[in-house]
Amino acid sequence: MAATQLFADPAEAVAFTASPDLGDTMNLVRAFLFDKGLLTPTATSDDAVGIELPDGTVLGDPDNIKFRFTTEFMQMAADGAL
């Protein structure tokens, strides 16, 4: 929990999602999820699910994307459009 970050400021969420470090962070997340048995009951690796990054890069299985990151809606909130 100490490493969990919640974003109250939309601009901070946009910066996090647009960061070049997002892929590295999500690799740590998917490894954690696999190690703790939190993916699927039949997962044989952390590649069992896909994570799509804002640039279209997919970590893991591109046919089983469960997490998608985009700055679109957070940017609208940061701009006051929501």
Side-chain angles (χ1 to χ4, degrees):
M1 291 299 288
T4 301
Q5 185 168 355
L6 301 176
F7 299 101
D9 178 356
E12 289 179 9
V14 171
F16 172 79
T17 304
S19 168
D21 298 329
L22 181 64
D24 294 336
T25 300
M26 290 302 102
N27 273 325
L28 292 173
V29 169
R30 67 194 192 113
F32 171 83
L33 294 173
F34 176 71
D35 290 343
K36 300 301 179 189
L38 299 172
L39 293 179
T40 66
T42 59
T44 58
S45 79
D46 59 0
D47 285 331
V49 298
I51 301 173
E52 184 176 357
L53 304 178
D55 67 359
T57 301
V58 175
L59 307 173
D61 187 349
D63 295 323
N64 192 31
I65 295 174
K66 300 297 183 190
F67 302 96
R68 285 189 172 86
F69 286 88
T70 176
T71 60
E72 181 182 2
F73 299 111
M74 290 179 284
Q75 187 64 59
M76 290 170 61
D79 294 341
L82 293 178

